[in-house]
Amino acid sequence: MKKVYPKQYFVKFARLYLIAKKMTTTDNTAVLLIHCPDRPGLLASVTEFINVNKGNILYLDQWVNKEENLFFMRVEWDLAHFEIPREKINEYFTTLIANRLEMKFSLHFKDVKPRMAIFVSKMSHCLYDMLARYAAGEWNVEIPLIVSNHPDLKPIAERFDIEFTCVPITKENKAEQETVELALLKQYNIDFIVLARYMQVLSDNFIQHYPNAIINIHHSFLPAF
């Protein structure tokens, strides 16, 4: 006869599983984001670099843009037994792999939270959604600064205890005010920017200060976002 366990057993086992999973989760990992011209052996070269130095690969994804012949890759590995000191990984990977294969890459560490600034105007729905997820701990980021060209959303920033700065922009003062914004970003050590219905077009000069580090949330992306 099949034994039937009480419901509380499954609840208890589920809790134990979640606790064990949390205990085995580590933030001591490195992440490489790579793109370069596609050619044979790219995947093998990167994984060999990690494996021979005793890194345990936790996640790997790759994609090839065939029209542009570009290879993209994201790989994350455990640093617990990795033989290259974390402060030397960038140097070693550049010398041994990236230069030879014409790779452009960025290196990130899971225990280092990137600092994100949010740019807004008057519409609040994107900002509310982002800050709710941030407050719930869904994102491994810090948000020390919200910048706006209008003062309307300041109460929301205050509610979440985030610094809010209004930098009004017109056609006549755009260059001057962008200089003010860039100084703020430097002051708060911002790593990347999210435009959450920020109703201004950033100048080329501004973008050059944060290449590949600006995310624009278009309203058509909101269901997925």
Side-chain angles (χ1 to χ4, degrees):
M1 183 176 178
K2 185 177 180 180
K3 188 174 181 179
V4 179
Y5 290 93
K7 182 179 179 181
Q8 58 264 32
Y9 276 83
F10 293 99
V11 174
K12 181 178 181 181
F13 291 151
R15 287 175 178 168
L16 289 172
Y17 168 75
L18 291 173
I19 291 171
K21 185 177 181 181
K22 186 175 181 180
M23 288 175 63
T24 56
T25 300
T26 176
D27 286 335
N28 188 27
T29 66
V31 178
L32 272 173
L33 304 177
I34 300 166
H35 70 279
C36 63
D38 188 34
R39 65 173 72 180
L42 294 174
L43 179 62
S45 296
V46 176
T47 55
E48 182 184 13
F49 170 80
I50 296 170
N51 291 331
V52 298
N53 291 293
K54 296 183 170 55
N56 179 33
I57 294 176
L58 304 174
Y59 176 89
L60 189 152
D61 198 9
Q62 61 169 327
W63 178 70
V64 176
N65 181 332
K66 294 183 179 179
E67 289 76 17
E68 301 292 334
N69 194 42
L70 289 175
F71 172 87
F72 296 86
M73 181 177 179
R74 180 190 189 278
V75 58
E76 179 178 355
W77 72 96
D78 192 342
L79 292 172
H81 304 290
F82 200 58
E83 294 185 337
I84 302 175
R86 56 191 290 164
E87 66 273 12
K88 293 286 187 179
I89 295 175
N90 194 306
E91 176 187 340
Y92 275 56
F93 188 80
T94 299
T95 303
L96 298 174
I97 307 294
N99 286 344
R100 175 168 55 88
L101 297 175
E102 300 177 86
M103 285 183 175
K104 294 183 179 179
F105 74 92
S106 59
L107 175 67
H108 308 272
F109 298 101
K110 202 69 172 288
D111 59 359
V112 178
K113 289 185 178 182
R115 293 171 64 82
M116 177 173 99
I118 304 176
F119 278 42
V120 295
S121 287
K122 292 185 177 183
M123 300 186 72
S124 63
H125 56 292
C126 286
L127 181 62
Y128 266 124
D129 184 72
M130 293 175 65
L131 294 183
R133 295 171 186 267
Y134 172 62
E138 291 186 21
W139 296 342
N140 185 41
V141 298
E142 293 182 9
I143 305 179
L145 177 67
I146 296 173
V147 177
S148 180
N149 56 329
H150 298 281
D152 303 53
L153 302 185
K154 184 176 181 179
I156 301 175
E158 292 175 341
R159 191 176 306 171
F160 287 86
D161 195 26
I162 298 173
E163 184 68 28
F164 181 95
T165 301
C166 180
V167 184
I169 293 181
T170 64
K171 290 182 180 178
E172 291 73 25
N173 71 1
K174 188 178 182 68
E176 177 185 345
Q177 294 296 71
E178 283 194 341
T179 300
V180 172
E181 291 175 332
L182 289 169
L184 277 169
L185 297 174
K186 183 178 181 180
Q187 176 186 342
Y188 284 87
N189 297 314
I190 298 301
D191 297 304
F192 71 105
I193 302 162
V194 174
L195 309 180
R197 296 309 300 270
Y198 181 61
M199 307 307 290
Q200 288 286 327
V201 177
L202 300 178
S203 69
D204 291 342
N205 176 64
F206 186 101
I207 293 171
Q208 287 174 8
H209 284 81
Y210 285 86
N212 303 314
I214 302 174
I215 302 172
N216 186 21
I217 303 174
H218 191 278
H219 60 85
S220 65
F221 298 157
L222 281 177
F225 178 78

